[in-house]
Amino acid sequence: MRAQQDTAGGLRHLITLDGLDREALTGILDRAESYRRLPGQPAYEGRELAGTTVANLFFEPSTRTRASFDLASRRLGAHVLNLDVNSSSRAKGETMLDTIYTLEAMNTDVFVIRDSEPGMPEFLIDHVAPHVSVISAGEAHVSHPTQGLLDALTIRIHKRRFAGLKVAIVGDIKHSRVARSTVRALQTLGTTDLRIVGPESLLPGEHEFQGAQRFTRLEDGIAGADVVMMLRIQKERMAQSASLDDAAYFREFGLDLRRLRLASPEALVMHPGPMNRGVEISSEVADGPRSVIREQVNNGVAVRMAVLAAIAATLTRHRRPL
Ligand code: NCD
C-alpha cells in the first residue's frame, strides 16, 4: 500500500488511523478545534481549499458524513462535486477506477469515498495520480477514520485527557467500522480502559480489538464509565436480519436512564448516528443532559475541515507545474 503520509510527514490520504501516531492525530484535532464553531456562531470561512476540487462518492447511504464533507469543503473554498451514484455510470457497470479516472481527467484533486467493499480505499490510493488524494468516508465494516477523529475530539473537549478514561462502546461491535476506528484513535491517544459490550453474536473475533475488555452484560460493561458510546445494529451487514427482535434487544442492551446511572455521573453519552430510538437508546437518554450526540455532529464538520486542509497543504507540494 502507498503511504498515507509523504516523506515530510504531510497527510496525503486518509483511509485508516492505523499507522498514524499520537502527534499526527493531535495535530488534526488541534486544527479541528480552531475550525470549530458552535451552532449560532458564524461558520469558519477560509481559502485553504481554494482551487481544489473535491468529489464525494458515496456508494452507501449517508446523512451526517456526506453533508459534513460537503460543508467542510465549501467552507474552506473548494469546488465540490456530489456524484449521484445511483444515476452514475457505476450503476451501468463502470468500475470504480474508471469512475475515478474520469473525474481525475476533470481536475478532481480529492476523492471522498464510502463503499461497502473492503479494501477499496487501499486499492484506489495505489492507482490514483500522484497529485490526487483519497479520503475514506467509511470502508465496509473495516474503518471510518474521520468518525474516529470526531469521537476523539468530542471526548477531548469535555474531558481534556485520554489517559485514565473508561470508555464503553456498546452494541453491534462486530459490524462497526466506527468502533474499529474510534478504538484505534483512543488507544493511540492514550486511553487504556476500553470496553466493548454486546451480545456474544455481535462481538468480533478474539484477534480483533486487542487491549479492549469484552462484556456480554451491559450493566457490567458501563459500570463507572466516563464515556458510553451506543451503536446501531447494522442489519444491512447481517445475513439473517429477521432473527433480531428490537424490543428484546432494548431490554438487554438498550441504554435508558436507569442503566445510565451505573456509569459515572459525569458520563458522556455518544452515538455516531443514525440512531434507532427505542432499540439501542431511549429518547430520554438521547436528548438528555449527558448526551453529546449533536456535538459529535458539530465536531464532524470541524474534523473534516482539518483533514481536508492538511491534505490540501500536502497536495500543493505534489501538483504539476503549469
Ligand atoms: C455510521 C457509519 O456509516 O458507519 N454512521 C456515521 O457515519 N455516522 C454508523 C452506522 O451506520 O450505524
Side-chain angles (χ1 to χ4, degrees):
M1 177 177 106
R2 279 192 194 160
Q4 295 193 110
Q5 287 167 291
D6 69 4
T7 46
L11 198 62
R12 280 283 288 116
H13 306 282
L14 182 64
I15 66 167
T16 175
L17 298 179
D18 295 354
L20 295 179
D21 62 14
R22 190 178 296 196
E23 193 190 338
L25 299 193
T26 302
I28 296 172
L29 299 187
D30 290 346
R31 198 193 275 250
E33 265 199 82
S34 77
Y35 288 141
R36 187 170 163 259
R37 297 292 182 272
L38 298 177
Q41 294 179 328
Y44 179 98
E45 300 266 0
R47 304 290 298 154
E48 289 85 333
L49 296 182
T52 302
T53 300
V54 178
N56 284 321
L57 274 58
F58 281 68
F59 295 97
E60 280 190 344
S62 175
T63 303
R64 281 150 286 271
T65 308
R66 179 172 166 153
S68 59
F69 268 113
D70 187 349
L71 289 172
S73 305
R74 290 176 204 276
R75 286 177 185 163
L76 294 179
H79 298 278
V80 183
L81 174 70
N82 286 301
L83 196 74
D84 180 357
V85 295
N86 295 320
S87 58
S88 78
S89 289
R90 196 159 174 235
K92 297 188 200 162
E94 184 174 74
T95 65
M96 177 73 110
L97 205 49
D98 281 330
T99 303
I100 299 276
Y101 287 156
T102 301
L103 297 174
E104 257 187 16
M106 300 181 196
N107 296 62
T108 297
D109 307 284
V110 180
F111 289 94
V112 177
I113 291 174
R114 170 172 285 195
D115 197 67
S116 60
E117 206 176 312
M120 182 58 87
E122 187 174 332
F123 171 75
L124 294 177
I125 72 170
D126 286 339
H127 289 86
V128 292
H131 51 271
V132 167
S133 288
V134 176
I135 301 176
S136 167
E139 172 188 358
H141 64 283
V142 177
S143 81
H144 194 347
T146 56
Q147 181 73 41
L149 290 165
L150 79 88
D151 289 339
L153 179 61
T154 306
I155 293 171
R156 188 173 90 165
I157 287 167
H158 284 272
K159 303 290 182 190
R160 285 284 145 209
R161 67 196 164 107
F162 291 104
L165 289 180
K166 298 179 176 51
V167 179
I169 306 184
V170 184
D172 181 4
I173 313 286
K174 186 175 178 173
H175 300 102
S176 178
R177 54 191 173 207
V178 175
R180 286 176 176 79
S181 287
T182 298
V183 164
R184 167 62 63 237
L186 295 178
Q187 285 178 329
T188 302
L189 292 164
T191 303
T192 51
D193 190 342
L194 284 156
R195 300 125 178 238
I196 53 173
V197 187
E200 194 67 57
S201 62
L202 297 181
L203 289 180
E206 294 286 338
H207 61 286
E208 284 201 272
F209 290 88
Q210 286 183 8
Q213 274 179 277
R214 287 152 191 268
F215 293 89
T216 51
R217 271 194 70 217
L218 177 82
E219 289 79 359
D220 299 338
I222 68 171
D226 300 295
V227 176
V228 182
M229 183 181 298
M230 304 306 293
L231 299 176
R232 182 178 69 90
I233 299 178
Q234 307 207 8
K235 293 188 178 174
E236 73 275 23
R237 302 196 198 285
M238 294 177 193
Q240 323 134 304
S241 56
S243 66
L244 266 167
D245 172 351
D246 289 350
Y249 182 83
F250 186 74
R251 278 197 298 279
E252 269 199 76
F253 288 97
L255 187 65
D256 58 13
L257 284 175
R258 186 178 52 86
R259 285 181 164 147
L260 182 56
R261 285 192 206 106
L262 301 169
S264 153
E266 310 282 281
L268 304 179
V269 174
M270 301 176 68
H271 194 307
M275 277 189 280
N276 287 146
R277 291 167 183 261
V279 181
E280 70 271 9
I281 191 165
S282 74
S283 279
E284 289 123 2
V285 173
D287 304 325
R290 309 294 341 139
S291 169
V292 294
I293 295 170
R294 285 200 285 268
E295 291 178 37
Q296 288 174 267
V297 176
N298 179 257
N299 292 332
V301 179
V303 155
R304 288 163 184 134
M305 289 167 89
V307 168
L308 285 160
I311 281 178
T314 312
L315 278 185
T316 55
R317 297 201 286 272
H318 297 266
R319 280 191 189 280
R320 271 194 190 149
L322 257 186

